[in-house]
Amino acid sequence: MKRREFVGTAMSAGIGLWAGSKQAPGWKRLSSIPTTQSPDSRIEVLIEEPIGTIAPEIYGHFAEHLGGVIYDGIWVGENSKIPNIGGIRKSLVEAMRKIRPAVIRWPGGCFADSYNWRDGIGPKTQRARHTNFWRDASEWPKDAPDGPWKYETNQFGTDDFLRFCRLVGAQPYLAANLRSLSAKDFYEWVEYCNSPAGTTTLADIRAANGDREPAKVRFWGVGNEAWGCGGNFTPEEYAAEYRRFTSWVPGYGVNLAFIGSGPNGGDLDWTRRFFVKLSERRALGRVWGWGLHHYSWNVTGGRTNDWQQGKGDAVNYRDEEWYELLSEGERIESSITNHWTVMGESDPEHRVKLVVDEWGAWYKPGAEANNTHLLGQQSTMRDAMLAGQMLDTFHRHADKVAMANIAQLINCLQSLFLAHENKFVVTPTFHVFEMYANHQAGQSVRTIFSAPRSSYTRNGQPATLRGLSGSASLHDHVLVLTITNPDLRQMRETEIAVRGAKVKAVKAITLSADDIHAHNTFESPNVIEPRDTRTTLTNSAVVYSCHPASVTRLDITLV
Ligand code: AHR
């Protein structure tokens, strides 16, 4: 069947068709999965229609001084019995190396706007102790003890973070304090990190602290959530602060990339007014990236929009909550395109790119691995689906999205790792990052998915979500195609055609679970793991069965 014929059939059969916009998902036990004899879905990869290079920085992470992320997560201390590399958890370093983390954002989040980088350098015994931004959060478990997660001890500071980045092969992205420090403190932090050895007092202090050579930090966040915890500014006020902070910052030969604090959710007005204000003063050239935060949290099917009431349980969820969470994730696509359009009003050449520097699932408290892990939560197959969907969306908009950072690395929100004392485990989200890493630096190409939409009941009413979705990238003669099937019950027999090339060989790896609530624990760390799966290749046409609630990667070798 030719593309046009298939499109016609798909439309009349009510099949969802899209090439980078809208759609969604569902679960079931393997034993009773209905299978189809002939393909009901189709994917067409148009290798001659490039979208853009997939920035490796899309595979970015975020580590904030929040609950168990730093203390108990990354930092265990040099004198700990827990295996460590200069105080940094060794198992974490080893696991991170497997996923090629391109960049890590630190030290916050909201914490960043209360942080003084000077407190975190120099001899550890002399470091200042301060009240952590998150100390009074309502989400703390009742029995949470005091400790560095409430009273910051600054044992993990700039030099430790930069060392962590070097150990795992990631670039640092430092978020500066705009709410409670000055522009001078900001450029002096740049000076501390980047000024050449022996040239400034701060370079000498850095050398005395162990790093003679400059770190050449490129990515700098100018505040965080400036509309909220970052200062409660209006866009115009923030624009004025942004201009002041970036008017003079020494470069030292580094092509500094400043990232502005974007809107609260989908607030286009914030983006428009900031861009207009900066353009008026011809200062838009000082914005490299525009931050978007996108949390998937409301699983109530529209029953409430309350930030606390709208959240669901991380592990025990109903089918409806599976679909609703994924549909929250889907909204990132319109957020990207809408903000992009608004940015284009002031920046028609689209020099400024989008940086989704916080994204992930956010559930209600109760599934944390330890009572010191504020906002800690388990990660199930649902989170793996969300991760696949989000990364695929970023690839489909590779011309717009220059970086993305999942929130957060360990022991918090949608984490790739959970750790407590000497226990450590990787989550299903980690596996998706490992599977998808092959996309990095590839050429994203237009890909058309034609599949039935997934049906479910939303607040008593029939609803649907996009069926299969995914993305494809070209790496010389290898095409990497990733596919998510969010449907809880339907196996999708899928025909895959590569337009403009012949297929020589294909390999598939998939992540799925008999029970969608399944997750890895310290006691049972291998419940969810990717496995090789079977594909059929006949005369350059690939047929693949997408398991319900699964994430798949196909490596397709082209002639
Ligand atoms: O990731 C947790 C918090 O969520 C961050 O500190 C803040 O930027 C956002 O609101």
Side-chain angles (χ1 to χ4, degrees), residues 35-304:
T35 53
T36 47
Q37 297 305 312
S38 55
D40 64 357
S41 303
R42 185 173 166 91
I43 299 171
E44 267 190 281
V45 185
L46 309 175
I47 60 167
E48 280 158 7
E49 294 194 32
I51 297 170
T53 301
I54 295 175
E57 288 77 17
I58 282 175
Y59 287 79
H61 300 273
F62 172 37
E64 178 167 8
H65 287 243
L66 193 178
V69 179
I70 304 295
Y71 304 111
D72 203 24
I74 299 173
W75 182 254
V76 296
E78 291 110 325
N79 302 321
S80 171
K81 289 201 179 100
I82 301 164
N84 67 84
I85 308 172
I88 295 169
R89 187 183 286 276
K90 191 163 179 259
S91 47
L92 174 65
V93 170
E94 287 166 352
M96 282 195 76
R97 283 177 180 158
K98 295 184 189 162
I99 55 171
R100 291 188 266 147
V103 60
I104 309 172
R105 178 177 184 241
W106 176 85
C110 293
F111 176 85
D113 278 298
S114 65
Y115 181 65
N116 187 340
W117 62 270
R118 286 190 165 85
D119 292 335
I121 58 169
K124 294 218 191 284
T125 50
Q126 292 167 28
R127 293 194 185 173
R129 285 175 296 136
H130 288 297
T131 310
N132 183 289
F133 173 88
W134 294 98
R135 182 196 173 277
D136 296 328
S138 60
E139 292 90 346
W140 277 109
K142 292 272 170 294
D143 54 351
D146 286 345
W149 37 86
K150 288 193 179 174
Y151 297 97
E152 176 60 52
T153 54
N154 284 299
Q155 296 302 289
F156 187 84
T158 301
D159 301 308
D160 309 285
F161 173 67
L162 295 177
R163 196 158 45 82
F164 176 49
C165 289
R166 284 196 295 272
L167 282 171
V168 302
Q171 294 187 76
Y173 164 12
L174 298 180
N177 179 344
L178 177 123
R179 189 195 66 220
S180 54
L181 286 185
S182 68
K184 182 167 180 281
D185 290 296
F186 173 42
Y187 65 69
E188 287 184 350
W189 198 11
V190 178
E191 185 172 280
Y192 178 76
C193 294
N194 290 358
S195 60
T199 60
T200 65
T201 303
L202 285 171
D204 292 347
I205 295 174
R206 184 188 68 223
N209 291 338
D211 287 316
R212 191 173 179 280
E213 295 309 318
K216 299 189 178 163
V217 178
R218 174 162 192 237
F219 299 114
W220 294 89
V222 185
N224 170 74
E225 297 193 349
W227 43 265
C229 64
N232 199 214
F233 294 114
T234 65
E236 289 77 16
E237 289 166 345
Y238 174 59
E241 290 298 310
Y242 186 97
R243 286 202 311 265
R244 208 156 61 78
F245 267 63
T246 56
S247 285
W248 181 77
V249 183
Y252 309 111
V254 178
N255 183 14
L256 297 178
F258 298 130
I259 296 158
S261 161
N264 181 3
D267 183 4
L268 296 174
D269 193 47
W270 174 272
T271 296
R272 179 173 288 116
R273 285 163 60 187
F274 175 87
F275 272 66
V276 165
K277 211 66 203 163
L278 243 65
S279 309
E280 278 172 8
R281 306 285 299 172
R282 296 203 173 79
L284 210 49
R286 287 186 230 145
V287 188
W288 175 83
W290 185 235
L292 280 190
H293 291 179
H294 186 92
Y295 286 106
S296 302
W297 59 278
N298 192 337
V299 291
T300 64
R303 292 170 184 94
T304 177

Side-chain angles (χ1 to χ4, degrees), residues 299-357:
V299 291
T300 64
R303 292 170 184 94
T304 177
N305 278 323
D306 182 89
W307 174 244
Q308 303 295 351
Q309 300 302 317
K311 298 198 194 92
D313 194 277
V315 177
N316 300 308
Y317 43 83
R318 294 171 291 115
D319 287 8
E320 180 182 349
E321 293 175 62
W322 163 278
Y323 287 109
E324 282 297 297
L325 196 275
L326 297 176
S327 94
E328 288 269 293
E330 245 185 32
R331 290 190 297 103
I332 186 62
E333 190 130 35
S334 55
S335 192
I336 289 171
T337 52
N338 292 342
H339 283 95
W340 188 251
T341 303
V342 168
M343 287 155 68
E345 294 167 5
S346 300
D347 177 27
E349 286 170 8
H350 281 299
R351 213 195 35 78
V352 183
K353 305 293 183 208
L354 286 164
V355 171
V356 188
D357 50 10

